[in-house]
Amino acid sequence: LLLNTATFAQQADVNQDPTTLGNAFFKALLDEDGATLGKLVASDFSLTRFDGHSVESDMLEQGVSGGYVVVDAATVSDTRIRQYNNDAAVMTGTWKAKGNVQGQSFDNTVTFSVVSAKQNGSWKIVNIQFTPIR
């Protein structure tokens, strides 16, 4: 599934569709591609981590680019997208990921919400929330 998503994301303009945008975000994490992450998120982006703390866009981009955040394997499943007034969307689903953050390993399955908004004619991710499944 992730491989098919990755191929589609490379062929499509990710800023024109909130579903493709969300899939491209997870692919960029897997590819450890901080530069792409920076292009997908809004300037006021915030991510709520597994532990409830927030990460801003520049910190996420630097962490991924600098090798502090490493995703060894990941799959996205059970996705659902809801779009509102052609300028806001919420993508939900499950993300199973294995890797490490600053040397601390993780092997988690989380539910996620990706909130996207249209800004200057392009879709950008404004917020992501990860909630661990116990």
Side-chain angles (χ1 to χ4, degrees):
L1 174 65
L2 192 57
L3 181 58
N4 291 339
T5 300
T7 302
F8 178 72
Q10 290 174 351
Q11 296 169 350
D13 182 357
V14 296
N15 295 83
Q16 297 303 314
D17 177 271
T19 302
T20 306
L21 179 67
N23 289 334
F25 177 87
F26 289 105
K27 181 185 179 327
L29 281 178
L30 184 61
D31 291 347
E32 299 173 31
D33 186 352
T36 295
L37 286 173
K39 294 174 187 173
L40 301 175
V41 301
S43 60
D44 61 346
F45 169 83
S46 174
L47 180 145
T48 305
R49 302 183 322 200
F50 308 145
D51 62 5
H53 290 92
S54 292
V55 175
E56 306 302 319
S57 61
D58 57 342
M59 182 177 275
L60 178 65
E61 186 178 341
Q62 291 171 13
V64 170
S65 294
Y68 298 106
V69 177
V70 176
V71 179
D72 297 320
T75 56
V76 173
S77 62
D78 303 323
T79 58
R80 180 176 172 215
I81 188 96
R82 293 170 308 220
Q83 193 166 332
Y84 304 96
N85 300 325
N86 294 322
D87 59 3
V90 177
M91 178 183 188
T92 58
T94 304
W95 188 52
K96 180 163 180 44
K98 185 177 186 179
N100 71 77
V101 176
Q102 292 186 324
Q104 297 286 86
S105 64
F106 66 86
D107 186 354
N108 294 45
T109 301
V110 299
T111 59
F112 65 83
S113 295
V114 176
V115 179
S116 302
K118 199 174 259 191
Q119 298 178 340
N120 299 321
S122 294
W123 286 98
K124 296 289 184 179
I125 297 172
V126 296
N127 183 270
I128 293 181
Q129 166 104 25
F130 289 125
T131 305
I133 296 175
R134 304 217 186 267

